[in-house]
Amino acid sequence: MTTSGDFMGTYYFDLRDGVRKRDRSGIQFRNDGEAISHSEIVSEKIRNDEPTRRGDLCIIVIDESGREVHREEVFPSTSPAG
């Protein structure tokens, strides 16, 4: 993870809903944390825009080297307290 200088890395935000849909364009961020924050914002937007819950939908954050940085569940499962 690079955090110094003006270096910007390209991050890709693949969607997985049973089948993985590749992000071919990507977005530049300074570090993994900024890319993860972006995935959280996108996830929240999808939750607000979609009336039906899709339990296995997630956003997979990939850095430019192809390394998976984070998985953000769009509709996180909530386990009953017990």
Side-chain angles (χ1 to χ4, degrees), residues 12-16 20-23 58-60 62:
Y12 301 89
F13 299 86
D14 294 355
L15 287 176
R16 191 196 76 209
R20 193 167 177 163
K21 297 173 190 159
R22 297 277 183 186
D23 172 11
C58 70
I59 300 167
I60 304 167
I62 309 290

Side-chain angles (χ1 to χ4, degrees), residues 19-63:
V19 176
R20 193 167 177 163
K21 297 173 190 159
R22 297 277 183 186
D23 172 11
R24 301 279 183 212
S25 56
I27 303 173
Q28 290 193 333
F29 292 99
R30 282 190 273 277
N31 56 50
D32 292 356
E34 286 183 0
I36 291 168
S37 291
H38 179 74
S39 75
E40 293 167 350
I41 291 166
V42 172
S43 177
E44 182 176 353
K45 181 171 176 22
I46 293 170
R47 273 194 305 276
N48 291 335
D49 290 348
E50 289 204 17
T52 52
R53 180 180 177 91
R54 294 169 20 195
D56 61 347
L57 181 62
C58 70
I59 300 167
I60 304 167
V61 182
I62 309 290
D63 69 10

